[in-house]
Amino acid sequence: MVNTAYDTDLQHTARQTPAASPWAAVGVSALEEQVYQAVLHQPDAGAAGWALLTGASPARVREACNRLLALGLIQPPDSMGGLRAIDPRVAIRALIRRRETESELLAATAEEIATAYEAGLLREEPARLIEVASGEGTIAARLEELYARAEHEVCLFDTPPYLAPPAPQADLQADLLRRGIVSRGIYAATALEDPNVLSRTWKMVGLGEQARVLPSVPLKLLVVDGCRAMLPLTASAAGGYCAVVVWHSAVTEALQKLFELAWQQATPLGRAAGDGELSEGERTLIRLLAAGMKDEAVARHLGVSLRTLRRRVSELQERLGAASRFQLGVRAAQRDWV
């Protein structure tokens, strides 16, 4: 039996034209939302009754029901007959998680397509490979752009002379770490002789940067996500600087490899954490990784973003001197952490 009072309310809702429905964000149309609400409020009305409640034809209601079944918002008929709504607290959260996973996959696909797009541009116009930036102001603007576009990791060689005033770049690095992006820096020992540079470096380490030291580094360098880089060209006696921004190419891949070789030879800055300094959250993270859970599942379990999770894993590898997750698991097992 159809409740006419609810019928009036639903039809009144259907006549409203809100600017945007939150259901649209998870792929539910206006009619599907109405049918879902009808199933929730009057599960025994059946397709004919829901058609009366929504003002749609029975055929369109059945199509909406099939769509709601596919989305996991309602369940198929049971032994008692009839469709039933799944607990919204469970169904809607599952739908949101599914959408988040799809969005992450789409973002990964976009990155792959962008790589092909950039390669095509370079073949047509090789001059696009590099951009020359002159003067502190221009260089600072390019640095800000590179940091803002970082998605996974930033690697840097730090040595005098500096291409831009240190304070703004330190702010950019701090914001990068707060976004959960991995930051690795190799510092020249001569640079750390400056108390201001050393103080800034300790601040970055406190925020989560992985820092190592070499007696000297080959050049000042910033590599973002392994596909964009900035390095100096000249430093005039008058104090004017000239730098080059290199876009994704064999050059940036070679610069990333140069950094990785230096990283293996560099000495970690700061003391390693002992067994007793491992937090409960870090122990939980190691146990979940050892159980073979995927990053997405571990991040949901810990209530953190994928970027934050990957940064924490990278930090644990750094503390244990593990070059890979496999080594991290082995060394954690040796300490009876899992």
Side-chain angles (χ1 to χ4, degrees):
M1 180 175 178
V2 176
N3 184 314
T4 55
Y6 172 70
D7 183 8
T8 302
D9 291 341
L10 185 61
Q11 291 182 358
H12 174 70
T13 301
R15 286 194 297 271
Q16 294 177 334
T17 55
S21 168
W23 288 91
V26 290
V28 177
S29 69
L31 176 60
E32 291 162 358
E33 177 185 352
Q34 293 172 33
V35 172
Y36 179 65
Q37 295 285 359
V39 175
L40 280 175
H41 287 84
Q42 296 199 40
D44 297 323
W50 299 327
L52 290 174
L53 291 171
T54 59
S57 67
R60 292 192 64 202
V61 168
R62 285 192 289 271
E63 290 178 1
C65 287
N66 289 333
R67 171 71 174 157
L68 293 171
L69 280 166
L71 291 172
L73 291 169
I74 61 177
Q75 58 188 6
D78 54 22
S79 58
M80 302 299 292
L83 297 171
R84 290 290 183 272
I86 296 174
D87 185 337
R89 291 165 296 190
V90 175
I92 293 176
R93 287 194 181 100
L95 187 56
I96 291 172
R97 286 195 295 270
R98 186 190 310 175
R99 278 283 163 161
E100 289 175 344
T101 300
E102 292 171 352
S103 297
E104 290 171 357
L105 291 173
L106 180 59
T109 300
E111 189 64 30
E112 293 175 3
I113 296 174
T115 300
Y117 168 75
E118 292 174 350
L121 290 179
L122 290 178
R123 283 193 296 270
E124 291 181 2
E125 192 176 346
R128 290 177 178 268
L129 173 64
I130 63 172
E131 174 193 354
V132 177
S134 300
E136 291 185 1
T138 302
I139 291 172
R142 292 296 174 268
L143 277 173
E144 184 174 357
E145 178 185 352
L146 288 170
Y147 275 110
R149 293 182 63 178
E151 295 183 354
H152 308 294
E153 181 182 54
V154 167
C155 301
L156 63 92
F157 282 142
D158 191 291
T159 185
Y162 295 100
L163 301 179
Q169 186 170 2
D171 292 338
L172 293 173
Q173 287 178 270
D175 179 67
L176 184 88
L177 291 163
R178 293 187 190 100
R179 287 194 283 136
I181 295 174
V182 174
S183 177
R184 292 190 289 157
I186 301 177
Y187 295 84
T190 52
L192 297 180
E193 292 174 0
D194 183 332
N196 293 326
V197 175
L198 181 60
S199 176
R200 187 176 75 247
T201 303
W202 281 124
K203 178 182 177 182
M204 293 302 106
V205 171
L207 290 174
E209 181 183 79
Q210 302 170 38
R212 294 189 177 186
V213 183
L214 282 174
S216 64
V217 297
L219 75 168
K220 179 77 174 179
L221 174 68
L222 177 75
V223 183
V224 177
D225 296 331
C227 62
R228 292 178 292 276
M230 175 180 272
L231 61 157
L233 287 178
T234 62
S236 72
Y241 297 115
C242 185
V244 60
V245 179
V246 186
W247 303 106
H248 193 195
S249 61
V251 177
T252 55
E253 292 174 2
L255 290 171
Q256 182 68 45
K257 289 178 180 178
L258 173 65
F259 178 88
E260 298 299 341
L261 288 173
W263 183 260
Q264 294 174 12
Q265 300 170 9
T267 302
L269 181 64
R271 60 189 180 87
D275 294 4
E277 295 175 330
L278 195 68
S279 70
E280 185 57 35
E282 290 168 333
R283 291 179 183 274
T284 300
L285 171 57
I286 289 176
R287 292 190 190 103
L288 294 176
L289 292 174
M293 292 177 64
K294 293 184 177 179
D295 284 2
E296 292 80 2
V298 175
R300 284 197 298 270
H301 183 87
L302 297 177
V304 299
S305 68
L306 276 174
R307 287 178 178 174
T308 298
L309 171 70
R310 287 166 182 163
R311 175 171 60 80
R312 290 181 180 177
V313 172
S314 182
E315 289 171 352
L316 282 172
Q317 289 180 210
E318 172 72 12
R319 290 168 63 182
L320 290 180
S324 66
R325 291 192 179 190
F326 175 77
Q327 283 189 358
L328 175 63
V330 170
R331 297 188 180 184
Q334 290 173 343
R335 291 164 171 77
D336 294 325
W337 288 350
V338 294

